[in-house]
Amino acid sequence: MTADTAAVIRAIDLAKTYRMGDVEVPALKGVSLEVLRGEMVAVMGPSGSGKSTFMNLVGCLDRPSTGTILVAGQDVSRLSRIARAKVRGRTIGFVFQGFQLLPRTSALENVELPLVYQKVSGRERKRRAVAALERVGLGDRLDHTPARLSGGQQQRVAIARALVTGPELLLADEPTGNLDSATSVEVLALFQELNDQGLTVVLVTHEPDIAARAKRIVAFKDGHLVSDERIRQDRSRPEAA
Amino acid sequence: MTIHGAGRTAFRALWRNPLRSSLAMLGIVIAVAAVVATVAIGQGAKAKMAAQMAALGTNLLIVHPGAMNLHGAVTGAGAVQTLVLSDAQAIARELTDDVLAVAPVDRSGGQVVYGHQNWATQLQGTTNAFLTVRDWPIAEGRPFTREEEKSAAKVCLIGNTVKTQLFGGEDPVGSVIRVKSMPCEVIGLLAVKGQGGWGQDQDDVVLMPWTTLMRRIVGTESDAVGMLWISAKSSDLVADAQNEIDALLRQRHHLAAGAPDDFDIRNLAEMQSAMKDQMSTLALLLGTVALISLIVGAIGIANVMLVSVTERTREIGIRMAIGATGGDVLVQFLVEAMALAAVGGAFGCGLGAGATRVIGQVAHWHVVLSPFVMVATLVVAGMAGIVAGFYPALRASRLDPIEALRYE
């Protein structure tokens, strides 16, 4: 396997069981999946299907009960809280449904935040945050607080925040869930553009037409992976431009 | 996260909710102000007392006639006149190694008149030795002569207040004033001494030979004296002098071994340490009150920090998702608590200093604002903030990022 085709995510028989009092609730029942560098994967499934649990494990927000998960070649299944926080900071960029920006804080400072936790110096932090905001087309909105930005712009700031650390993997949880359809198309186009530049993108969605923009769709049901299809698509369709 | 960054983040977070932050600080503000003001007032009183004690002389010993066992009834101090003029002369004659001067002192109130002016003042009968004991120079004129002291001459030295009241700007030396009904020549003016240790005006006095006061004003032929003011040659010799005076007086008074003294010797160092003890007790009391208010202030901060952590659960989740460790979050909230306490402390210092000035001016108290105390109080307040913020910060740092992100 060459570096270009190395697995960014490799899940081997991944399982997670939650304990609620005396009852054990299996959320994920043995999932094996590989996502290669440069892929754009849509994760689908109804609520309770285990897709959120899967995403939490991939995002190092949680640890599996059994099985193994490697992110960018590193086994993260047994890492401590602190070690997982470091992996999140360095390797993974998160984009959430509700944008999750810090209120009353400028776009620039929101984007700088992950670098603050990596102890990047002030000047370098600013340089990289400005570059990330320019990359998502918000170079002229550096000082705006979230309240003064539209939903689409807020999600772009969130994407810039995810990109600023130069992650191996972009995880997006319903990134268009709070956006109208026109803005959704814009944000999705941005994801495609980033993917074209080589970034691995995994996004959770329940909208088939959003999923159709990905190169690959995986579907969960009852804690199992039930389908995994690669789609050939014509990226030059006019509405995607 | 760097300390600088943490500080900025903390101040921003606090600034977002100014009302809540200022209410949280209020307790600390009041506590620190209370500490600064009470310490300043306490220090001022102490410094003033020390200065007055020093002015009185640390070499000073005062002998009072003491209680005496008379047919089984113990009389109170000074009830029986056991101290006589010859005791003073004996001490001055025999204890020349340690004793610098011995002055008999008796006091009486009385009206003094000059021309159309009259003034009620304190008449004090003593000898020239008193001027040595009190280290009190004569500004103008001369002291008593030996002859005047022996013969109960009608002469006096007047304090500056008496001079102002009777003579105004006029030169008093050589004039004759009336003391009660006795004409008396003013032979000298005492230098200005100022306020005494208990607030009395030391310059409001007329000094005359002890014999003059006793024979002519009080009208007694008795040699009993009210007290002896004695000064040791140095403060190191005070204890020796005290022992020697004690031995000499016991011998002169024919006291059997084991019998209690019929006199009472006090030195100012003892009085000073007694007053210092009282001051320390007072300081301890005030300090306890201040400490309690500091604790109450810290509880206020803990309360607000707990609310803040709950309110900002989502923010904590975001920070953790993008790479903040539990430690980073802990530090963030600790710094916030500390910033609250420090800013509150700074305001408290200002308020305390202002209050101290106002109190000092309104009540005419001597106050000493010490920068060291202010800095120390600030540090203590900051530490109180850390202690108060620790539990809320720990709770924040232990949040599960998944739960925190989902928190509404």
Side-chain angles (χ1 to χ4, degrees):
Chain A
M1 197 179 282
T2 68
D4 277 345
T5 55
V8 172
I9 301 171
R10 182 187 286 172
I12 305 158
D13 205 18
L14 204 58
K16 177 75 185 180
T17 303
Y18 291 107
R19 196 169 250 293
M20 301 193 128
D22 290 339
V23 191
E24 293 198 333
V25 183
L28 208 59
K29 302 168 182 167
V31 168
S32 296
L33 180 71
E34 225 172 58
V35 175
L36 302 184
R37 190 175 302 278
E39 280 197 293
M40 179 160 172
V41 182
V43 177
M44 300 193 71
S47 64
S49 63
K51 66 176 195 299
S52 294
T53 305
F54 178 73
M55 291 298 279
N56 287 341
L57 293 175
V58 172
C60 299
L61 290 166
D62 207 350
R63 283 197 293 204
S65 305
T66 61
T68 307
I69 172 124
L70 285 82
V71 175
Q74 184 185 5
D75 186 352
V76 297
S77 0
R78 302 285 173 267
L79 289 183
S80 69
R81 271 175 70 106
I82 293 173
R84 278 186 284 130
K86 304 260 186 231
V87 173
R88 286 198 297 272
R90 272 200 312 270
T91 318
I92 303 166
F94 288 90
V95 177
F96 305 96
Q97 179 177 4
F99 319 137
Q100 306 280 31
L101 298 174
L102 292 187
R104 282 177 258 193
T105 304
S106 73
L108 185 66
E109 280 169 312
N110 262 295
V111 175
E112 280 186 33
L113 203 54
L115 299 178
V116 168
Y117 292 114
Q118 292 188 25
K119 301 179 174 60
V120 176
S121 75
R123 185 178 296 185
E124 171 70 2
R125 211 158 65 206
K126 185 169 179 189
R127 190 187 65 73
R128 283 165 67 175
V130 170
L133 279 164
E134 280 168 352
R135 201 167 159 196
V136 300
L138 287 176
D140 56 344
R141 297 279 194 280
L142 301 181
D143 297 327
H144 288 221
T145 57
R148 292 173 57 207
L149 294 169
S150 70
Q153 286 170 333
Q154 287 187 53
Q155 193 60 300
R156 282 164 186 270
V157 173
I159 293 168
R161 183 179 64 190
L163 290 176
V164 76
T165 56
E168 303 262 351
L169 175 63
L170 197 64
L171 292 182
D173 188 5
E174 304 263 11
T176 58
N178 286 20
L179 301 173
D180 61 46
S181 52
T183 319
S184 295
V185 169
E186 268 176 47
V187 166
L188 212 63
L190 181 57
F191 278 118
Q192 285 178 327
E193 192 186 318
L194 294 170
N195 179 239
D196 288 343
Q197 290 163 14
L199 186 63
T200 312
V201 178
V202 176
L203 56 92
V204 173
T205 183
H206 58 262
E207 293 170 62
D209 57 328
I210 300 277
R213 305 290 178 94
K215 294 174 181 168
R216 180 180 173 193
I217 301 175
V218 296
F220 284 82
K221 195 180 180 191
D222 297 330
H224 292 288
L225 187 65
V226 292
S227 88
D228 181 354
E229 63 176 301
R230 280 164 211 279
I231 42 178
R232 287 170 60 90
Q233 55 175 225
D234 180 7
R235 279 273 176 98
S236 61
R237 281 184 299 181
E239 62 267 34
Chain B
M1 183 148 48
T2 60
I3 291 298
H4 174 70
R8 259 171 55 116
T9 310
F11 278 108
R12 171 142 331 129
L14 297 176
W15 189 246
R16 260 181 232 151
N17 206 329
L19 180 65
R20 196 176 66 194
S21 297
S22 25
L23 284 176
M25 282 189 289
L26 198 57
I28 289 283
V29 172
I30 291 171
V32 169
V35 172
V36 169
T38 51
V39 168
I41 291 166
Q43 297 277 42
K46 218 174 186 171
K48 192 175 182 191
M49 189 196 78
Q52 287 163 347
M53 284 290 181
L56 218 47
T58 43
N59 305 350
L60 189 63
L61 290 160
I62 297 177
V63 186
H64 287 271
M68 193 183 175
N69 196 332
L70 261 186
H71 310 299
V74 181
T75 59
V80 179
Q81 308 281 314
T82 53
L83 214 54
V84 292
L85 195 57
S86 56
D87 286 335
Q89 288 155 354
I91 293 168
R93 194 171 56 239
E94 290 178 30
L95 303 179
T96 48
D97 283 352
D98 299 332
V99 172
L100 181 68
V102 183
V105 175
D106 268 277
R107 289 169 178 159
S108 167
Q111 205 76 13
V112 290
V113 182
Y114 176 73
H116 298 297
Q117 307 298 326
N118 78 98
W119 182 245
T121 185
Q122 189 187 56
L123 311 176
Q124 200 156 312
T126 185
T127 61
N128 278 333
F130 185 73
L131 301 177
T132 312
V133 171
R134 292 297 316 275
D135 189 19
W136 202 344
I138 290 172
E140 219 180 301
R142 60 168 180 88
F144 309 125
T145 63
R146 194 52 66 95
E147 189 52 38
E148 282 166 343
E149 285 179 353
K150 261 191 193 149
S151 65
K154 297 173 184 175
V155 292
C156 62
L157 298 166
I158 62 172
N160 194 60
T161 304
V162 176
K163 178 231 162 192
T164 308
Q165 293 298 332
L166 295 187
F167 295 94
E170 216 178 300
D171 180 7
V173 178
S175 305
V176 174
I177 60 173
R178 208 146 51 74
V179 178
K180 288 191 159 176
S181 55
M182 178 189 81
C184 190
E185 185 191 349
V186 178
I187 59 168
L189 173 66
L190 294 164
V192 175
K193 195 87 174 169
Q195 235 176 41
W198 292 270
Q200 80 278 26
D201 178 3
Q202 299 185 97
D203 297 317
D204 189 4
V205 73
V206 172
L207 295 187
M208 57 186 66
W210 186 84
T211 45
T212 312
L213 181 80
M214 299 313 280
R215 308 289 177 251
R216 298 186 189 278
I217 307 282
V218 179
T220 170
E221 292 302 317
S222 162
D223 272 348
V225 297
M227 50 185 159
L228 299 181
W229 285 48
I230 302 167
S231 96
K233 281 192 165 154
S234 79
S235 51
D236 300 335
L237 296 174
V238 168
D240 287 348
Q242 189 165 354
N243 290 335
E244 287 170 15
I245 293 163
D246 186 70
L248 181 64
L249 290 180
R250 287 184 70 85
Q251 185 201 332
R252 288 180 57 82
H253 295 184
H254 309 295
L255 296 176
D261 288 343
D262 62 355
F263 53 89
D264 179 27
I265 309 175
R266 280 185 226 162
N267 69 57
L268 277 204
E270 278 169 10
M271 290 161 69
Q272 206 169 355
S273 79
M275 277 182 87
K276 263 189 189 150
D277 281 353
Q278 285 182 17
M279 292 297 240
S280 309
T281 310
L282 192 69
L284 192 70
L285 201 74
L286 291 174
T288 309
V289 171
L291 190 71
I292 289 171
S293 54
L294 206 58
I295 290 171
V296 172
I299 290 172
I301 287 185
N303 196 2
V304 164
M305 291 310 294
L306 272 177
V307 172
S308 177
V309 167
T310 308
E311 217 173 55
R312 286 153 66 193
T313 298
R314 234 143 75 109
E315 177 194 324
I316 296 163
I318 299 169
R319 288 176 183 275
M320 285 181 159
I322 62 174
T325 61
D328 288 329
V329 173
L330 183 82
V331 168
Q332 180 191 340
F333 280 89
L334 273 186
V335 169
E336 255 177 57
M338 202 169 72
L340 267 180
V343 173
F347 275 119
C349 274
L351 187 68
T356 304
R357 287 260 160 76
V358 171
I359 289 169
Q361 285 191 351
V362 171
H364 297 290
W365 286 350
H366 183 62
V367 294
V368 177
L369 268 177
S370 138
F372 168 76
V373 168
M374 293 213 238
V375 171
T377 314
L378 264 181
V379 170
V380 171
M383 291 196 307
I386 293 181
V387 171
F390 192 77
Y391 175 65
L394 195 67
R395 262 181 50 156
S397 73
R398 287 188 176 163
L399 283 175
D400 176 2
I402 301 170
E403 297 291 325
L405 278 169
R406 222 179 277 151
Y407 186 86
E408 290 299 329

